[in-house]
């Protein structure tokens, strides 16, 4: 009995400690992360309902591989997901405008090239007919002069179309260079930010771009870090491979499964190691 009396305070302390760890450091994937919609900047032309739909779609790509509800929309949650317009989106809007300009100019160039080909064929045919009439000397001078003027007019049209196409190509190349400088390179995931208390999306180009950014930041909210495969959602840069991806990569799945296997004490130990004093001792 004396032993029990001596050990009882330690047992109580251990029990309280155990309960506190479970409460304060919940195991990853053990309960849904509740969130609400915070700021939605009207400059994106996305309603709160549309933004919520995008978030819910992004949730499923993680939840489908665990069979658990990892996220839960809760109107009064302290954790917010926001859509904030800043200079990053301004650059994207410029790039989208340039892309539309390039597309229009490409169509104009093809149309002008077709007109040039037709005009050149007409000019060549008229010129050959005129030279043949001059050689045959069967027509009067006035008729030949009319033919010559018509041939010259066709030549002017050909030259004008050639100049127009050259100008279009020159302007297209200048715009293409500007587009590449603004947007063509791979971009680090600075389009969104996870702070532990919120997710804020600052920029996206198209719907699949928004989905990727949301999926990436929700991955961080689950505790996942970056992975090495460029086709992964959790790769540190936006690129054509992960934009085109329709699901999780093997690296994404491995990171998710590893995270969801952790216990509350694993999380507690990780947080403990983040304290500067403790980390220096180790």
């Amino acid at each position: 009995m004396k032993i029990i009396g001596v050990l009882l305070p330690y047992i109580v302390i251990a029990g309280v400690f155990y309960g506190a760890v479970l409460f304060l450091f919940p195991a990853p994937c053990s309960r849904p992360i509740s969130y609400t919609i915070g700021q939605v900047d009207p400059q994106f032309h996305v309603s709160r309902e549309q933004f919520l739909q995008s978030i819910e779609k992004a949730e499923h790509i993680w939840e489908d591989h665990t069979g658990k509800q990892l996220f839960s929309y809760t109107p009064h949650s302290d954790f917010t997901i926001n859509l904030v317009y800043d200079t990053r989106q301004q650059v994207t809007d410029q790039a989208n405008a340039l892309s539309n300009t390039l597309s229009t100019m490409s169509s104009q160039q093809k149309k002008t090239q077709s007109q040039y080909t037709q005009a050149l064929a007409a000019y060549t045919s008229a010129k050959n007919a005129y030279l043949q009439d001059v050689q045959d000397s069967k027509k009067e001078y006035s008729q030949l002069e009319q033919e010559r003027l018509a041939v010259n007019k066709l030549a002017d049209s050909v030259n004008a179309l050639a100049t127009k196409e050259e100008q279009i190509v020159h302007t297209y190349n200048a715009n293409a260079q500007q587009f590449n400088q603004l947007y063509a390179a791979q971009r680090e995931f600075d389009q969104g930010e996870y702070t532990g208390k919120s997710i804020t999306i600052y920029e996206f180009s198209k719907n699949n771009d928004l989905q990727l950014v949301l999926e990436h930041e929700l991955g961080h909210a689950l505790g996942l870090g970056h992975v090495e495969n460029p086709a992964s959602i959790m790769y540190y840069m936006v690129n054509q491979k992960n934009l085109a991806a329709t699901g999780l990569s093997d690296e994404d799945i491995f990171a998710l499964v590893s995270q969801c296997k952790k216990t509350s004490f694993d999380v507690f130990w990780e947080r403990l190691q983040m304290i500067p004093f403790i980390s220096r001792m180790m």
Side-chain angles (χ1 to χ4, degrees):
M1 294 295 293
K2 290 183 179 180
I3 296 176
I4 295 176
V6 171
L7 293 178
L8 185 59
Y10 296 99
I11 294 173
V12 172
I13 292 172
V16 171
F17 175 74
Y18 180 80
V21 170
L22 293 181
F23 178 77
L24 296 174
F25 304 95
C29 312
S30 61
R31 61 190 186 196
I33 298 172
S34 66
Y35 68 88
T36 190
I37 304 298
Q39 179 181 351
V40 178
D41 198 308
Q43 293 182 87
F44 283 100
H45 304 292
V46 174
S47 69
R48 298 177 72 87
E49 291 74 18
Q50 290 171 326
F51 190 43
L52 178 58
Q53 289 173 3
S54 295
I55 296 169
E56 291 174 339
K57 184 177 179 181
E59 293 175 27
H60 292 312
I61 202 163
W62 297 111
E63 294 174 337
D64 289 347
H65 282 273
T66 62
K68 298 180 179 180
Q69 183 181 2
L70 301 177
F71 303 93
S72 174
Y73 172 70
T74 308
H76 301 294
S77 173
D78 293 330
F79 186 90
T80 60
I81 302 182
N82 310 285
L83 196 55
V84 175
Y85 191 101
D86 69 1
T87 54
R88 281 165 280 196
Q89 188 63 39
Q90 290 176 355
V91 172
T92 295
D93 289 344
Q94 291 173 4
N96 287 337
L98 275 174
S99 179
N100 292 335
T101 298
L102 289 172
S103 178
T104 299
M105 293 185 69
S106 179
S107 298
Q108 290 175 345
Q109 190 269 335
K110 290 179 180 178
K111 181 179 179 180
T112 303
Q113 188 178 54
S114 176
Q115 292 173 338
Y116 171 82
T117 300
Q118 294 174 7
L120 181 61
Y123 163 74
T124 302
S125 177
K127 179 182 177 182
N128 290 337
Y130 168 72
L131 293 175
Q132 186 64 46
D133 288 342
V134 171
Q135 184 178 352
D136 293 342
S137 300
K138 292 182 179 179
K139 292 186 177 180
E140 295 182 1
Y141 173 80
S142 60
Q143 292 177 310
L144 291 174
E145 184 64 12
Q146 288 180 353
E147 284 189 40
R148 185 185 69 80
L149 293 173
V151 169
N152 288 343
K153 188 175 182 179
L154 287 171
D156 291 340
S157 296
V158 170
N159 291 333
L161 287 168
T163 300
K164 181 179 179 181
E165 183 181 6
E166 183 179 352
Q167 290 173 343
I168 291 174
V169 170
H170 176 76
T171 306
Y172 179 93
N173 290 337
N175 280 282
Q177 183 179 4
Q178 185 180 4
F179 177 84
N180 290 333
Q181 291 173 348
L182 277 174
Y183 205 68
Q186 293 188 117
R187 297 159 288 155
E188 290 198 33
F189 264 106
D190 63 348
Q191 301 154 285
E193 180 183 27
Y194 168 68
T195 65
K197 296 182 179 179
S198 66
I199 289 174
T200 301
I201 307 300
Y202 296 103
E203 177 260 318
F204 64 91
S205 177
K206 298 178 180 178
N207 284 339
N208 65 328
D209 199 8
L210 174 60
Q211 288 301 134
L212 176 61
V213 179
L214 283 169
E215 290 161 3
H216 184 92
E217 299 306 328
L218 288 177
H220 283 318
L222 289 170
L224 308 185
H226 291 148
V227 301
E228 295 299 321
N229 184 357
S232 300
I233 288 170
M234 295 311 298
Y235 188 61
Y236 77 103
M237 297 188 86
V238 181
N239 63 84
Q240 292 303 316
K241 289 184 178 180
N242 53 15
L243 277 173
T246 56
L248 301 179
S249 69
D250 291 341
E251 289 79 3
D252 289 324
I253 294 172
F254 179 80
L256 176 64
V257 172
S258 298
Q259 181 68 3
C260 289
K261 284 182 178 178
K262 292 179 181 178
T263 66
S264 293
F265 285 90
D266 292 325
V267 177
F268 169 70
W269 181 245
E270 289 177 354
R271 300 283 177 84
L272 197 64
Q273 290 176 310
M274 293 172 65
I275 301 174
F277 175 73
I278 301 295
S279 63
R280 282 197 298 270
M281 291 180 61
M282 299 176 62

